[in-house]
Amino acid sequence: MAEQESEQLDRVAGESRSAPVDLPLLLLPDDALLEVMQYLQVADLLACRLVCRRLGALALHPQLWRHQRFPERIYPDEAAPVLRLAPCFGKLVLTVPLARPLTFFTTTNCAVETLWLTMQVMDGQSAIQAGQEASLVIRNQEALGRLRRLYCSSYLGYSVDPAEAAAGEAALLATLASTSQLEELRVFDFREFSPSLAAELRRSPVKASLKVLILENSGGPKTQAFANHILSTHASTLESVELGWPSARDSNLDVSTFSILAGMPKLSKLRCVPFSGMDALAECPLLRDVTIDVSLQSLRSAAARDAAAKFLRRATQQLVKVELVYNAAYDGVDLEMALDMVQALAATGTSRVETLSLVLDSDQSGFFRPSSLWMTQALLQALPSLPALRTLKVELDEHCAHEALHMAPVQQLLASNPALRLVILARPWWLEKCDWCKVGCHPEISCDGHDYQEITIPRYENVQLSLP
C-alpha cells in the first residue's frame, strides 16, 4: 500500500527519488528556504519531499500551502496523497456530484480558507446527491476550522426533476446558512429555499461572523427567507452586502429586508434594486458606497421610485460613491425616470458624493443609449449641485473615448466643472475605428482593441468639434 502511494506521489510531483541532495541551496537557513519555496507550485512542493528529509519536512510547512490552490485537473488516484500530505490550501474548487471518490474531500485533514462549490446537475444525475455531497465537504472544512470564504453556485439542467432540484438546492442553502466562522459568503443562481427551513435554522443560530454577503441571481420569492435569515443572523458584523438580481420583477425584496439592512451598524457598502422601504437605509451610519440596479420595471413602481429617490436625498451627507447600473437587458430603461435618480442625488445641493458612475448592464444596445443620458441638459445642470463630485464614470456602448472627447456636451461638461475627472468606460473591441481615430489626433485615447477600457478624458484647449 505504501509503495503504491509512493508511486502516486511520484506522478503528482513529476520527479524521481534520485534527485541530488548535495545542493548549495541547502546551506540556507530554514526561514530563507521557506521564503524561496513559497514560489513553488503544488507539484514542485511535493517533489521536494523526494530530495531529502530536510526539504521534505519544510515542503509541508503550512506557510507554503496557505496560498496554494488545489489542482483542479488531477486524477482521482492522485488526489488522495495530495489531500493526505498537504496541511492546508488557500483555495479549493469543486464541482458536485464529484467524479472523484467522495471520501477524499469529506475526511481530509487538509484545511482550506476559500471553498468554491458548483452544484452542476445534468441528465441522469441527482440534485439531491449533489446537495448532500456539497454539504458534507462544507461540514468537514468547517470542522477543520480554517474556512473563511465560501462561494456556491447552482447550475441545473433543463431535464432535472423540479422537485428534486428544489430539495437539492434547499439542503445546500440550509448548510450555507448554518456554517460558522465564515467571513465572506457568495451565492449564485439558487432558486429554492423553504421558509420552514429558515424557521428551523433560527432555533440553532450560528454566531455572527460574516463581513461580506453576495447574493447574485438568487433573490426570487422562493429564496427570500434565505436572504433575510442570513442578513438577520449576521446583521451585527456585515460590512458589504450585494443583493444582485437580473431584474426587479425577479426579486421579492420587501420592507422587512430593508428594515434588517437599516439596522446594520457596520454596513458600509450596498448593492440592491430600488424598492419600497429603501429610504430606511439612510439610517445606516457608516454607509458610504451604494450601487442601485435600475430597470424600467422597478421604476414603474411609484413606491419603489419614490423610496429610492428619498434615500438618495436623505443620504447625501454620508454617501461618497454612488453607481447607477441601468439594466436594459430585460425590460429597458426610461430616460426621464433614470435621470430622476441623479437629480434626487443633487437635490439638496450639499451632497458629499465624490464618485458617480452611470453604467449600462446590457449586451443589447437597442433599448437605451447611456450617452443619451449624460449628454442631456438635465444631467449637465445637475452636476454643479454635486459640489464634492470629483469623478464621473460613464459607460459607452456606441462610441469610443476618442469620439467622446470631440463631443460638444463633453467639452461643455469639462468647462463647467473644472475639478471634475471624466472617465469613460468603453468596450471598443467590437467597434471599427471611429472617424476621429482615423484622423490620427490624440492617439493616447484612440481605440486599441482592448476588451474593456477605463479612460480618463484629458483636458485640451480648443478641441475640434467637427471633422476636418
Side-chain angles (χ1 to χ4, degrees):
M1 183 69 181
E3 182 179 353
Q4 181 181 5
E5 187 170 275
S6 176
E7 292 177 357
Q8 295 169 347
L9 183 58
D10 286 346
R11 291 207 308 274
V12 175
E15 297 287 341
S16 67
R17 291 187 179 276
S18 61
V21 296
D22 55 339
L23 299 174
L25 184 70
L26 296 179
L27 299 177
L28 295 173
D30 286 356
D31 57 348
L33 277 174
L34 288 174
E35 286 295 317
V36 174
M37 293 171 70
Q38 68 179 334
Y39 296 100
L40 298 179
Q41 301 299 315
V42 171
D44 301 318
L45 286 174
L46 293 178
C48 289
R49 284 180 49 81
L50 310 179
V51 177
C52 65
R53 289 184 178 180
R54 184 184 173 205
L55 278 183
L58 289 177
L60 298 183
H61 195 289
Q63 176 181 330
L64 305 180
W65 292 87
R66 61 171 54 104
H67 300 299
Q68 292 284 352
R69 176 170 174 168
F70 185 83
E72 293 182 50
R73 299 182 182 278
I74 186 171
Y75 293 107
D77 60 341
E78 294 174 353
V82 173
L83 290 172
R84 185 183 68 82
L85 292 171
C88 58
F89 270 103
K91 186 174 184 179
L92 174 62
V93 180
L94 290 177
T95 298
V96 292
L98 289 164
R100 310 179 181 100
L102 181 61
T103 54
F104 289 173
F105 301 97
T106 58
T107 62
T108 180
N109 290 320
C110 178
V112 302
E113 185 175 9
T114 301
L115 176 61
W116 189 304
L117 283 170
T118 299
M119 189 168 80
Q120 181 171 314
V121 182
M122 309 305 291
D123 295 347
Q125 295 179 318
S126 169
I128 295 178
Q129 177 187 343
Q132 291 173 343
E133 289 186 3
S135 296
L136 289 172
V137 173
I138 293 171
R139 289 300 183 216
N140 183 61
Q141 289 300 325
E142 179 188 21
L144 293 175
R146 192 166 179 266
L147 185 62
R148 295 296 178 268
R149 288 179 290 274
L150 181 54
Y151 309 153
C152 280
S153 60
S154 175
Y155 179 82
L156 304 178
Y158 292 110
S159 61
V160 176
D161 179 67
E164 183 176 298
E169 285 196 343
L172 180 51
L173 287 178
T175 300
L176 300 182
S178 59
T179 301
S180 61
Q181 303 182 62
L182 291 179
E183 295 181 0
E184 182 175 345
L185 175 62
R186 301 187 182 193
V187 181
F188 303 88
D189 301 318
F190 279 78
R191 291 288 184 266
E192 300 287 346
F193 185 77
S194 170
S196 62
L197 283 175
E200 182 179 337
L201 289 169
R202 282 194 293 272
R203 289 195 286 269
S204 55
V206 298
K207 183 179 179 181
S209 60
L210 276 183
K211 296 181 180 179
V212 178
L213 173 64
I214 299 176
L215 302 180
E216 189 71 30
N217 294 349
S218 299
K222 296 182 179 180
T223 56
Q224 187 67 33
F226 173 78
N228 282 353
H229 175 77
I230 295 292
L231 291 171
S232 58
T233 300
H234 300 275
S236 62
T237 57
L238 276 168
E239 300 173 5
S240 177
V241 176
E242 294 188 24
L243 306 176
W245 290 282
S247 173
R249 66 186 174 199
D250 293 328
S251 66
N252 193 37
L253 283 178
D254 53 29
V255 175
S256 65
T257 301
F258 283 113
S259 297
I260 299 171
L261 291 169
M264 293 182 176
K266 297 183 179 181
L267 185 64
S268 61
K269 182 178 180 180
L270 174 67
R271 177 171 184 168
C272 65
V273 295
F275 254 87
S276 176
M278 185 176 181
D279 51 307
L281 296 176
E283 302 299 325
C284 297
L286 299 182
L287 189 57
R288 300 291 182 269
D289 186 341
V290 170
T291 298
I292 301 177
D293 290 306
V294 183
S295 70
L296 183 58
Q297 186 73 17
S298 64
L299 293 180
R300 278 177 179 155
S301 167
R305 185 170 66 250
D306 293 344
K310 187 177 181 180
F311 160 70
L312 291 174
R313 286 194 295 269
R314 290 180 57 189
T316 53
Q317 293 298 303
Q318 64 194 65
L319 295 179
V320 174
K321 182 179 179 181
V322 174
E323 180 172 84
L324 302 176
V325 179
Y326 297 100
N327 195 324
Y330 292 86
D331 44 29
V333 175
D334 180 85
L335 179 59
E336 183 176 349
M337 289 183 178
L339 279 171
D340 286 347
M341 297 293 101
V342 179
Q343 292 168 339
L345 193 62
T348 64
T350 59
S351 169
R352 294 185 180 180
V353 173
E354 298 175 2
T355 301
L356 174 62
S357 301
L358 308 175
V359 178
L360 178 69
D361 186 13
S362 173
D363 292 327
Q364 304 178 31
S365 59
F367 288 110
F368 174 67
R369 298 286 191 176
S371 58
S372 62
L373 170 63
W374 59 265
M375 286 195 294
T376 60
Q377 287 298 316
L379 179 62
L380 296 177
Q381 292 170 3
L383 292 180
S385 297
L386 300 172
L389 190 65
R390 294 296 177 266
T391 302
L392 174 63
K393 295 185 178 182
V394 182
E395 182 179 352
L396 297 178
D397 67 338
E398 79 270 35
H399 302 291
C400 75
H402 189 186
E403 187 176 3
L405 172 68
H406 293 275
M407 293 178 178
V410 171
Q411 292 304 316
Q412 179 184 347
L413 183 151
L414 294 175
S416 302
N417 302 273
L420 184 67
R421 183 171 72 101
L422 176 61
V423 179
I424 301 299
L425 307 174
R427 294 191 178 109
W429 58 271
W430 55 272
L431 295 170
E432 296 180 0
K433 282 186 175 293
C434 73
D435 292 336
W436 287 104
C437 289
K438 294 175 182 178
V439 169
C441 61
H442 311 113
E444 65 276 13
I445 59 171
S446 296
C447 296
D448 61 3
H450 287 177
D451 182 34
Y452 191 91
Q453 292 179 305
E454 184 173 301
I455 300 175
T456 299
I457 298 297
R459 293 176 180 268
Y460 297 112
E461 294 184 0
N462 302 320
V463 174
Q464 289 181 271
L465 302 180
S466 58
L467 289 165

